[in-house]
Amino acid sequence: MARLFPRRAALLVAGLMAASTAPAVAVSPDVTGRPAPCKDSALAPSWAPGGSAKPEGVPGEQVTAVVALKNTGSHACALRGYPEVTLKMGTETEGVQTETFRDQTSVRPKPVTLAPGASARFTLTFLSSKVSEDDVIVPGVAEITVPAGKSPKELKWRWGPVMRQEAATHSGNFVSPVTK
């Protein structure tokens, strides 16, 4: 047995020496090779082209507005899921549900990878209204929290009055998952 020990020790020392001369490899934050989740500070929301919403509103219609989320950071990042959206008018708010609460057959969110400067998007669907109707909010801003985000960002609302739906069983106001 004593004869094997020096040989094992020599193999162990040789292995340690080989490991110490190997080049250093940067470790990705995600072992799957996917980029890290997008940080709130690296995303800039804006209204994007498309959708049926109009600046003066479209009373009595369910309309859509598209929101772009641009990666302003210097590294690729990933998003997956639904953003949180709250419409705010002073101290009054109207939370907007996700599609999954509205329709159980909705498409499941898929991961979206954003290179620096690239944008993802989501759709905000809502019931446009008239100021004179009951249960209406005239938002000043849409407060947006990205999936897995912590710090909401505000977009100036420009789509007119919105029918309150927060307490509705089947809300007419909802958001889609983030897509490319």
Side-chain angles (χ1 to χ4, degrees):
M1 190 95 114
R3 297 179 84 180
L4 293 176
F5 180 75
R7 181 177 169 156
R8 286 186 184 165
L11 289 173
L12 178 62
V13 170
L16 289 173
M17 290 180 68
S20 68
T21 59
V25 177
V27 177
S28 170
D30 186 340
V31 295
T32 64
R34 288 186 225 136
C38 295
K39 294 181 180 178
D40 298 330
S41 61
L43 292 172
S46 63
W47 297 112
S52 57
K54 305 276 187 243
E56 65 279 357
V58 187
E61 297 286 325
Q62 186 176 45
V63 295
T64 58
V66 180
V67 177
L69 299 169
K70 183 176 182 178
N71 179 1
T72 59
S74 58
H75 302 293
C77 63
L79 285 172
R80 180 184 182 147
Y82 292 87
E84 289 181 29
V85 177
T86 302
L87 305 179
K88 296 174 76 176
M89 178 179 83
T91 58
E92 290 187 62
T93 63
E94 170 74 10
V96 181
Q97 296 181 354
T98 63
E99 277 185 344
T100 57
F101 290 122
R102 185 180 84 44
D103 178 4
Q104 295 302 318
T105 62
S106 294
V107 176
R108 295 206 179 263
K110 295 183 175 146
V112 174
T113 299
L114 294 177
S119 293
R121 53 194 287 141
F122 69 89
T123 302
L124 171 61
T125 302
F126 60 96
L127 293 170
S128 189
S129 189
K130 296 179 190 172
V131 175
S132 61
E133 292 183 294
D134 290 339
D135 291 330
V136 169
I137 185 171
V138 183
V141 297
E143 187 178 77
I144 297 166
T145 305
V146 299
K150 295 181 179 137
S151 302
K153 295 194 177 186
E154 293 185 346
L155 273 178
K156 184 175 176 173
W157 185 257
R158 59 182 187 181
W159 308 118
V162 176
M163 181 67 71
R164 288 187 179 276
Q165 295 284 294
E166 195 168 39
T169 304
H170 298 287
S171 178
N173 300 340
F174 54 93
V175 295
S176 71
V178 173
T179 62
K180 193 71 169 174

